[in-house]
Amino acid sequence: MSKYLTPIFAALLLTGCIHSYSEALPYDRWHLGFSAPNYMEVWIETADVIDTRGQVYRRAMSGVSAIQTPPNNSGHPKGWPKRPGRGKGKYVTGAELPKKIYVRWQSLAEQKTYQVSIDVPESTREIMRKQETVYCAFDGREINEYRDALVIGLAPGGIAKVWILGSCLPPIEVTRVQAEIDLRGPYEGKSDGKYYNLSDISRRHIEEFGIPYGSW
């Protein structure tokens, strides 16, 4: 079997290995978002979703993640925020909740390409289906809402961390996984090894302070 994950996804679909009880969603779409630590820029080549029905949504998200690059090295890339936001992403419309998410991304801070297959447990989907009452500062009152957003934080070293959250409901950490390096390089070896450019602000920060491995 190939070491790479895209063929594994195909094999799972062909053999019918991806099945689970699918409960009707109380909303018609959910948000898939991505973030990265300050200055540790990434370029998401693809984020493919397999939902609980076994339906595949290729490139459900691609492009840049949410990130802050404050001038004068005033940002702090170590660790994750206590209350991560929804990240930069897209709504996945018409899908059931995710069973697996495959992500391949370029770590521009390291000039490395990573890929990972993330299993989303049924316990996470149960929470995403549950309506809760929460005080929302945006509205100045209590509201009923769902944790209808799944955000993935991507960090150097191939770290991917997953949370679920709502607009006002606080985030719940789901999992932390270690990606593997894709030795083919960017775009599965189809870009002659060329990565997207790291911004000057991030490059200067990394040159001065390095990459805080082990903090994510």
Side-chain angles (χ1 to χ4, degrees), residues 22-49:
S22 181
E23 196 174 304
L25 280 180
Y27 38 86
D28 61 2
R29 60 182 187 169
W30 53 274
H31 189 263
L32 176 63
F34 289 85
S35 65
N38 290 3
Y39 309 108
M40 304 295 135
E41 297 174 22
V42 303
W43 177 265
I44 302 158
E45 294 184 359
T46 188
D48 303 332
V49 172

Side-chain angles (χ1 to χ4, degrees), residues 31-44 47 61-69 76-90 101 103-108 114 116 118 149-156 158-165 171 175 216:
H31 189 263
L32 176 63
F34 289 85
S35 65
N38 290 3
Y39 309 108
M40 304 295 135
E41 297 174 22
V42 303
W43 177 265
I44 302 158
M61 172 57 185
S62 61
V64 296
S65 70
I67 192 171
Q68 296 185 39
T69 55
H76 303 284
K78 290 184 179 180
W80 298 106
K82 291 183 179 179
R83 192 173 179 125
R86 295 168 73 91
K88 184 172 184 178
K90 297 178 181 179
I101 302 174
V103 188
R104 188 175 65 250
W105 77 95
Q106 299 174 24
S107 173
L108 305 184
Y114 293 100
V116 70
I118 302 170
L150 186 148
V151 60
I152 301 174
L154 301 175
I159 301 301
K161 198 166 190 178
V162 183
W163 300 265
I164 53 172
L165 62 154
T175 189
W216 301 296

Side-chain angles (χ1 to χ4, degrees), residues 4-216:
Y4 297 112
L5 297 175
T6 301
I8 292 176
F9 261 38
L12 287 170
L13 290 172
L14 289 172
T15 58
C17 292
I18 297 181
H19 286 292
S20 75
Y21 174 70
S22 181
E23 196 174 304
L25 280 180
Y27 38 86
D28 61 2
R29 60 182 187 169
W30 53 274
H31 189 263
L32 176 63
F34 289 85
S35 65
N38 290 3
Y39 309 108
M40 304 295 135
E41 297 174 22
V42 303
W43 177 265
I44 302 158
E45 294 184 359
T46 188
D48 303 332
V49 172
I50 299 180
D51 73 5
T52 54
R53 297 173 300 184
Q55 296 294 313
V56 182
Y57 297 82
R58 298 195 184 279
R59 292 178 68 83
M61 172 57 185
S62 61
V64 296
S65 70
I67 192 171
Q68 296 185 39
T69 55
N72 303 317
N73 294 322
S74 58
H76 303 284
K78 290 184 179 180
W80 298 106
K82 291 183 179 179
R83 192 173 179 125
R86 295 168 73 91
K88 184 172 184 178
K90 297 178 181 179
Y91 281 98
V92 185
T93 303
E96 295 297 320
L97 291 175
K99 176 79 172 179
K100 280 183 178 287
I101 302 174
Y102 166 73
V103 188
R104 188 175 65 250
W105 77 95
Q106 299 174 24
S107 173
L108 305 184
E110 303 171 286
Q111 298 286 284
K112 292 181 180 179
T113 303
Y114 293 100
Q115 59 182 359
V116 70
S117 178
I118 302 170
D119 291 311
V120 181
E122 175 58 26
S123 58
T124 295
R125 291 188 291 273
E126 288 177 358
I127 296 172
M128 294 181 75
R129 296 187 193 105
K130 181 181 178 182
Q131 187 180 68
E132 296 187 43
T133 301
V134 62
Y135 177 80
C136 189
F138 299 127
D139 298 306
R141 60 186 177 87
E142 285 191 340
I143 64 169
N144 296 319
E145 74 158 353
Y146 298 90
R147 287 183 173 86
D148 61 350
L150 186 148
V151 60
I152 301 174
L154 301 175
I159 301 301
K161 198 166 190 178
V162 183
W163 300 265
I164 53 172
L165 62 154
S167 298
C168 295
L169 284 169
I172 295 175
E173 183 179 331
V174 174
T175 189
R176 178 184 182 274
V177 294
Q178 174 66 59
E180 65 174 5
I181 295 175
D182 187 342
L183 297 177
R184 297 171 296 180
Y187 290 106
E188 300 175 307
K190 299 173 184 176
S191 69
D192 296 323
K194 294 180 180 178
Y195 285 83
Y196 276 83
N197 292 327
L198 184 67
S199 71
D200 289 339
I201 290 177
S202 293
R203 177 179 52 78
R204 287 193 293 268
H205 181 91
I206 292 169
E207 287 176 350
E208 183 169 351
F209 298 101
I211 296 174
Y213 291 108
S215 66
W216 301 296

